[in-house]
Amino acid sequence: MTAQPQNLILDKAQIEQKLTRMAYEIYERNFEEQALVLAGIHENGYLLAQKLAERLAQISPLSVELLTVRLHKENPLQHPITLSPENGGLDNKAVIVVDDVLNTGRTLAYTLNAFLPRSPRKVEIATLVDRHHPLYPVAATYTGYSLATTLQEHVEVVLTGEHFGAYLL
């Protein structure tokens, strides 16, 4: 991990609080759904999707399916985007794509290509930290923390171990 403790922007308790609030927002916007699909972008997005699924199970009757989305973030067009499990049907389902940081929207924009051919009823986006540097027409439906940063700064989210937190680098 490259983050320094003095650069902490969200500690573990704050991240947990943000995720609980996001879960309530997700339920409020999707209370009429029978089921939701939380599709986490490997690796941190999936960890966040798991945490959101746990909270949704505590506060709602929604059935939540988890998917892992894998893509090559530097060259997404040269490598296939995979969803696992592959046999999960998305026809007419509400899908929420989950990632840790929304910066330019590039990763999420390419990720949508994996979902649109599978005919979801709607696709929403949940992110822990939104940095507000949109270069692609992607906006988060659910945001844990909005943070205006410079292009030179970087946000690192650590979701395991003793340095659990979000850091500004």
Side-chain angles (χ1 to χ4, degrees), residues 16-88:
E16 298 292 346
Q17 181 183 34
K18 304 275 184 215
L19 291 172
T20 298
R21 182 180 48 77
M22 290 171 67
Y24 276 104
E25 289 178 29
I26 290 168
Y27 180 44
E28 286 173 7
R29 290 181 133 220
N30 294 283
F31 71 93
E32 293 177 333
E33 298 293 333
Q34 297 296 315
L36 285 178
V37 176
L38 296 180
I41 297 177
H42 182 74
E43 172 174 5
N44 275 352
Y46 184 76
L47 293 173
L48 291 169
Q50 287 178 310
K51 290 177 179 297
L52 286 169
E54 291 168 7
R55 282 161 179 79
L56 285 165
Q58 293 170 354
I59 65 170
S60 78
L62 294 173
S63 169
V64 178
E65 179 183 344
L66 286 168
L67 289 180
T68 302
V69 180
R70 293 180 190 269
L71 76 154
H72 192 280
K73 292 186 179 185
E74 286 77 36
N75 289 315
L77 294 177
Q78 277 66 46
H79 302 275
I81 297 172
T82 61
L83 303 178
S84 59
E86 292 180 19
N87 58 356

Side-chain angles (χ1 to χ4, degrees), residues 132-143:
H132 302 288
H133 294 291
L135 298 178
Y136 291 78
V138 173
T141 314
Y142 311 100
T143 300

